[in-house]
Amino acid sequence: MNKRIKVFQTVTFRLTLYYAILFGVVSLTVFGLVYVTLTANLKQRMDETLRNDVQAFEMFYRINGIDALREEFKWEAEAVGIQRVFFRIISPRLDVMATSDMSAWKGLVLPRNLAQRLANGKEALETLTIPGTEHHVRVISKQLFEGNIIQIGNTVHDDEELVEDYRQIFTSAVMIMLLCGAIVGWFVARRAMAGVERITETAVGIGKGDLSRRVPQGNEGEEINHLAMAFNDMLERIQGLVKELREVTNNIAHDLRSPLTRIRGIAETTLTGEPTLDAYREMAGMVIEESDRLVEMINIMLEIAMAESGVRDLPRDEVDMTELAKEACELFHVLAEDKQVWLGIEIPQEHLIIPGDRSRLQRIIANLLDNAIKFTPRGGNVLLFVEGTLTHVIVSVADTGMGIDSQDLPHIFERFYRADRSRSTPGNGLGLSLVQALVRCHSGEITVESNPGKGSKFTLSLPRPAFPNPEIAKR
Ligand code: ADP
């Protein structure tokens, strides 16, 4: 029952029905028009024949008189068929003066007011039913000279038969048209729906767990192909996200386990050791430190996830990158000095304004400066460089530090990735992932060049608005 209801709700069924109805309506209209025209034409032709006959007999009557006309009526009716026609002349008092054989037209009575109706040479054309039969006759009555009336009747049986034949043909044709409409509708619907079915099939396959499935291209039309392409692109993205999610989960499981194991270890050592207040204080301090680190990692991971998913709409402040770089440099001056690393800055005179989130842009530069100072030994140099091109603001952080090995270079933006050489320095391997996610959030790009042992250079390119606000640029 349920299945039957569902069939009625399918697009295929509906299209089939609509096409059948459309074909039906069109054929009904066409055949209806033909029917009306045909019956009108037949009637007109019949009336014309009757009028011509009246004219011919009137002429004959005038020239040859009533006796000759009587003979003519007989002869003519027999020639055509006495069941098919009749002719008669009636006096104004309704006496029949001349007539053809009326044996087939017995029931036809003369209306009493016939003479009045036909006064002044009028003619009357009417279709009468022969009493006791289903046959119809078209009768013309017309007043001739001296008030005599001529009446000619002609059976419409042949015309009725023709119309009946037509009606039968018409009924069969409408049935055939309905069937054709249904077939065409079904075919069109099947063809259009084939693409949708392919997509459904793929979606069902994916629902069962096979994320690698894609919708094959077909030839149902551009719209379906576009839908299939959009669907495949979406799948590609979902598959990528799922893969990434899996990797992130694995990383999280692995990287969060270490601090947790450490926390557990600290607690265990304290419990099994001497139960002094100092030991417990030390444990509490270490647990707080490890927990803070964990919380920080989790916060950064959340930040990355949000930036990557694009869920969060960034505030679009007008950020002056020249100022921002100056402030960041001032902020890291102390750290650089402590490490005896020279920190320099090269910025242009102009204010380079881009739309973006000030605190996140600050974070990007801070992370890069932090890394550069962290991975540069005492006596080394770090240079923060800002310049504006017509379309972009370029920010680079170059150092003369340890550099990055070529095998590590493709991975440094991955979450938790830390090159072996840098494991002795503090860090969690999330800084560059966050930087990359935030840069992408600002529709920018980040690249890195490195010379192991000689230094590295990270370069950001952030798009400038097409028409910068001239007021801010002047400041
Ligand atoms: P973290 O600094 O916490 O280790 P990041 O994601 O910031 O994590 O960096 C990932 C890795 O990239 C670092 O562990 C390091 O191996 C490498 N790296 C980043 N910046 C530099 C740099 N300026 N010089 C040398 N290596 C770097």
Side-chain angles (χ1 to χ4, degrees):
M1 180 67 178
N2 214 2
K3 184 142 193 182
R4 217 170 65 214
I5 291 169
K6 275 189 183 149
V7 168
F8 292 145
Q9 287 168 347
T10 58
V11 176
T12 308
F13 177 80
R14 284 180 192 172
L15 271 182
T16 308
L17 189 70
Y18 296 158
Y19 267 85
I21 292 173
L22 182 75
F23 273 54
V25 168
V26 169
S27 52
L28 262 175
T29 313
V30 170
F31 286 114
L33 281 174
V34 173
Y35 180 82
V36 170
T37 318
L38 179 72
T39 46
N41 275 351
L42 286 173
K43 201 167 150 200
Q44 197 186 357
R45 222 177 53 188
M46 172 68 83
D47 290 353
E48 246 166 55
T49 311
L50 288 171
R51 279 195 190 104
N52 288 343
D53 285 354
V54 165
Q55 233 177 2
F57 281 124
E58 185 178 10
M59 189 97 78
F60 189 90
Y61 183 18
R62 274 183 199 279
I63 297 170
N64 302 304
I66 190 81
D67 292 331
L69 185 64
R70 206 171 284 133
E71 282 307 306
E72 183 64 17
F73 277 171
K74 258 188 209 159
W75 185 83
E76 188 74 30
E78 270 160 27
V80 181
I82 56 164
Q83 296 91 347
R84 303 175 66 82
V85 288
F86 73 82
F87 314 99
R88 54 185 174 182
I89 297 280
I90 302 144
S91 75
R93 277 182 286 148
L94 303 186
D95 298 324
V96 177
M97 295 164 68
T99 179
S100 61
D101 189 340
M102 292 294 285
S103 53
W105 311 95
K106 275 188 189 124
L108 273 185
V109 284
L110 287 167
R112 280 167 184 269
N113 61 349
L114 188 63
Q116 286 95 307
R117 273 169 52 202
L118 301 176
N120 302 327
K122 272 192 212 147
E123 64 173 26
L125 271 159
E126 51 203 336
T127 304
L128 306 172
T129 309
I130 302 162
T133 70
E134 284 185 354
H135 288 184
H136 296 107
V137 61
R138 186 81 177 153
V139 178
I140 185 167
S141 312
K142 192 178 177 210
Q143 203 175 45
L144 305 178
F145 52 91
E146 291 168 359
N148 294 331
I149 296 163
I150 185 166
Q151 201 174 46
I152 301 175
N154 212 330
T155 178
V156 287
H157 185 67
D158 290 351
D159 290 356
E160 278 175 350
E161 249 180 349
L162 184 73
V163 170
E164 182 53 33
D165 285 353
Y166 173 81
R167 206 178 292 152
Q168 275 172 15
I169 293 169
F170 158 69
T171 312
S172 321
V174 169
M175 291 298 181
I176 292 169
M177 289 302 270
L178 277 175
L179 192 71
C180 284
I183 292 170
V184 170
W186 184 84
F187 183 74
V188 169
R190 293 298 305 160
R191 222 177 127 64
M193 287 300 112
V196 176
E197 263 164 33
R198 269 187 299 126
I199 295 170
T200 312
E201 233 173 72
T202 312
V204 169
I206 289 165
K208 286 182 184 155
D210 183 4
L211 257 182
S212 63
R213 288 195 59 170
R214 294 291 177 272
V215 184
Q217 289 287 310
N219 54 1
E220 296 85 6
E222 270 306 286
E223 295 91 339
I224 299 285
N225 278 343
H226 274 152
L227 178 64
M229 263 153 61
F231 192 75
N232 285 346
D233 285 349
M234 181 186 76
L235 288 177
E236 206 68 49
R237 174 116 176 87
I238 290 175
Q239 202 181 8
L241 283 176
V242 168
K243 189 172 160 247
E244 219 170 283
L245 199 70
R246 244 178 239 149
E247 277 171 16
V248 172
T249 320
N250 287 345
N251 285 340
I252 290 173
H254 178 264
D255 285 83
L256 294 193
R257 198 187 291 145
S258 327
L260 282 172
T261 316
R262 272 202 302 276
I263 291 173
R264 194 182 181 284
I266 295 164
E268 205 171 6
T269 324
T270 314
L271 272 182
T272 50
E274 191 81 4
T276 61
L277 190 60
D278 282 348
Y280 281 111
R281 276 213 169 119
E282 196 187 349
M283 175 194 77
M286 283 157 88
V287 166
I288 288 172
E289 210 175 284
E290 289 292 346
S291 304
D292 284 349
R293 207 170 296 153
L294 257 176
V295 170
E296 198 201 336
M297 263 165 79
I298 291 168
N299 283 342
I300 297 177
M301 282 182 329
L302 280 177
E303 245 331 280
I304 297 173
M306 277 192 277
E308 278 182 348
S309 64
V311 172
R312 179 187 283 188
D313 273 335
L314 284 178
R316 293 278 149 187
D317 316 322
E318 286 184 318
V319 184
D320 182 344
M321 289 304 284
T322 323
E323 277 300 312
L324 204 76
K326 229 189 320 187
E327 284 166 19
C329 200
E330 278 161 17
L331 212 70
F332 277 86
H333 220 78
V334 186
L335 184 70
E337 243 174 30
D338 280 355
K339 234 197 127 182
Q340 295 180 14
V341 169
W342 176 84
L343 174 59
I345 181 164
E346 235 183 271
I347 48 173
Q349 288 288 314
E350 61 178 322
H351 294 273
L352 299 169
I353 316 290
I354 61 162
D357 180 348
R358 194 183 155 79
S359 65
R360 290 196 169 77
L361 288 166
Q362 232 164 7
R363 184 109 187 239
I364 294 171
I365 299 182
N367 272 12
L368 293 177
L369 281 178
D370 188 52
N371 273 354
I373 296 169
K374 190 163 72 177
F375 296 114
T376 302
R378 189 179 302 156
N381 300 331
V382 171
L383 178 69
L384 174 60
F385 175 86
V386 181
E387 71 167 341
T389 69
L390 218 54
T391 52
H392 288 80
V393 172
I394 311 291
V395 179
S396 67
V397 177
D399 63 62
T400 56
M402 62 199 273
I404 305 162
D405 288 339
S406 56
Q407 71 267 22
D408 293 320
L409 212 53
H411 303 289
I412 55 166
F413 292 105
E414 291 169 11
R415 284 185 192 82
F416 298 110
Y417 191 86
R418 307 195 74 209
D420 284 340
R421 294 209 291 151
S422 53
R423 291 211 178 262
S424 52
T425 50
N428 51 27
L430 288 172
L432 285 181
S433 310
L434 179 62
V435 167
Q436 189 180 49
L438 292 177
V439 169
R440 283 183 181 161
C441 257
H442 286 84
S443 315
E445 265 181 39
I446 178 163
T447 52
V448 56
E449 302 156 51
S450 188
N451 214 336
K454 294 205 172 127
S456 317
K457 183 178 174 189
F458 288 83
T459 307
L460 309 177
S461 120
L462 298 160
R464 292 175 82 170
F467 301 103
N469 187 340
E471 283 305 309
I472 298 171
K474 259 191 258 155
R475 268 193 269 149

